[in-house]
Amino acid sequence: MIPLSHYLILSFIIFTIGIAGVLLRRNIIIVLMSLELIFNSINISLVAFSHFLQSMTGRLFVVFTITVAAAEVAVGLAILVAVYRQRKTVYVEELNEMKH
Amino acid sequence: MELIFFYIFAIFAVSSAIAVISLRNPVHSAVFLMVCFLQVAAIFILLRSPFLAAVQVFVYVGAVMVLFLFAVMVLDLGKERFGEHLHHQSPIAIIIIIGLVFVMGLGLAKAKLDAPIGKYTEAAMAKNTEVMGELLYTKYVFPFEVVSLLLLIALIGAIVLVMKERN
């Protein structure tokens, strides 16, 4: 039997790697991939809690999370393609029109 | 025995996640992201959720990865030049990440699991998928419908966003 803390530490490490990817990379596709890593780490901890608390809610929540993540990727990549057509760049710091 | 498998999956998952954020070619990142998703599916099997593992393989490794690779091909991105893949906010970002690791590690170290244990024991979990399907269509039918509506909206939104205006 693997203790709960192992799963939580694994989830924590992947979450931190995902946050690092979002904050450090310039390429917006890699930023979206890091978001997927964060989603996956949260899924691991939800299923682990659901397994160790002997409840079904966490597992069902993961089904909904995966659905929302799929929708997010579809819309995010569509926005990315639309932006690339206009601006010809995928670097996050060159896409700062909304800031000013 | 189970622990050995857990360590194998965990080490592969973490190292491929690091490869995703550190490689310079987006196609290589996408392939390593796929490896990471497969390891997470294996960990779901260790947690006795075969249905979620199958969904993970279908949705993430199938659909999401195809979307990512398609986007990389459509945008025709080359390899980034050396020193160009990190941006100049990196020092602040690294400080924020170290702070996050500290706070979350403290939370993990001090946390104590104190919640009521549910009614689904190991024996009841043997029919995991059936229980999930039953709950999805009885107790959680409203969120299920909302999420299907959300998928429809995302589908239409994605089509509208990439459609070229004709005039």
Side-chain angles (χ1 to χ4, degrees):
Chain A
M1 196 66 186
I2 308 161
L4 174 62
S5 56
H6 281 52
Y7 290 108
L8 291 187
I9 289 168
L10 171 67
S11 154
F12 164 60
I13 292 171
I14 297 181
F15 185 86
T16 315
I17 293 170
I19 294 278
V22 170
L23 290 179
L24 290 175
R25 291 299 299 257
R26 292 172 82 196
N27 193 332
I28 198 162
I29 288 189
I30 310 285
V31 172
L32 281 174
M33 288 183 193
S34 308
L35 277 181
E36 292 306 308
L37 282 178
I38 295 174
F39 268 117
N40 266 281
S41 76
I42 297 305
N43 284 350
I44 292 174
S45 62
L46 275 173
V47 179
F49 274 123
S50 150
H51 182 66
F52 282 90
L53 292 177
Q54 299 184 348
S55 141
M56 227 42 210
T57 318
R59 287 185 171 112
L60 285 165
F61 206 90
V62 170
V63 175
F64 297 132
T65 318
I66 289 177
T67 322
V68 173
E72 175 256 330
V73 168
V75 174
L77 289 174
I79 291 174
L80 185 55
V81 169
V83 165
Y84 188 76
R85 268 188 202 147
Q86 298 274 323
R87 312 284 310 275
K88 300 287 175 219
T89 178
V90 286
Y91 289 162
V92 281
E93 57 199 1
E94 289 164 21
L95 304 173
N96 56 358
E97 234 75 314
M98 304 270 272
K99 214 161 91 179
H100 307 297
Chain B
M1 190 63 189
E2 218 178 309
L3 203 61
I4 298 169
F5 274 106
F6 174 78
Y7 280 125
I8 294 172
F9 296 146
I11 287 168
F12 269 101
V14 169
S15 48
S16 55
I18 290 172
V20 168
I21 68 162
S22 56
L23 289 179
R24 238 176 260 122
N25 190 336
V27 179
H28 294 173
S29 291
V31 172
F32 276 106
L33 190 64
M34 195 159 76
V35 175
C36 187
F37 287 160
L38 283 173
Q39 304 308 314
V40 173
I43 282 167
F44 283 166
I45 288 182
L46 282 186
L47 283 165
R48 312 280 189 283
S49 331
F51 176 71
L52 285 181
V55 167
Q56 170 94 4
V57 172
F58 286 155
V59 175
Y60 275 112
V61 183
V64 171
M65 286 322 297
V66 168
L67 270 180
F68 269 120
L69 288 173
F70 199 72
V72 174
M73 302 294 166
V74 164
L75 300 190
D76 190 26
L77 305 170
K79 206 170 152 188
E80 290 167 34
R81 283 184 293 280
F82 186 72
E84 209 182 35
H85 70 302
L86 297 177
H87 53 64
H88 52 69
Q89 68 178 12
S90 328
I92 309 168
I94 287 170
I95 292 171
I96 292 174
I97 293 162
I98 290 172
L100 183 83
V101 168
F102 184 70
V103 171
M104 280 173 66
L106 208 70
L108 263 182
K110 291 209 168 179
K112 196 161 115 289
L113 191 61
D114 189 18
I117 300 289
K119 58 178 178 175
Y120 294 97
T121 53
E122 199 82 38
M125 279 304 197
K127 295 200 162 188
N128 200 313
T129 310
E130 283 95 332
V131 177
M132 257 175 98
E134 213 178 297
L135 277 175
L136 207 57
Y137 282 105
T138 52
K139 194 177 168 191
Y140 295 97
V141 69
F142 181 65
F144 184 73
E145 295 294 330
V146 171
V147 131
S148 57
L149 198 65
L150 180 78
L151 265 183
L152 181 69
I153 294 168
L155 177 76
I156 297 170
I159 293 171
V160 168
L161 275 170
V162 294
M163 213 162 48
K164 279 192 180 127
E165 287 173 36
R166 287 201 199 103
N167 42 15

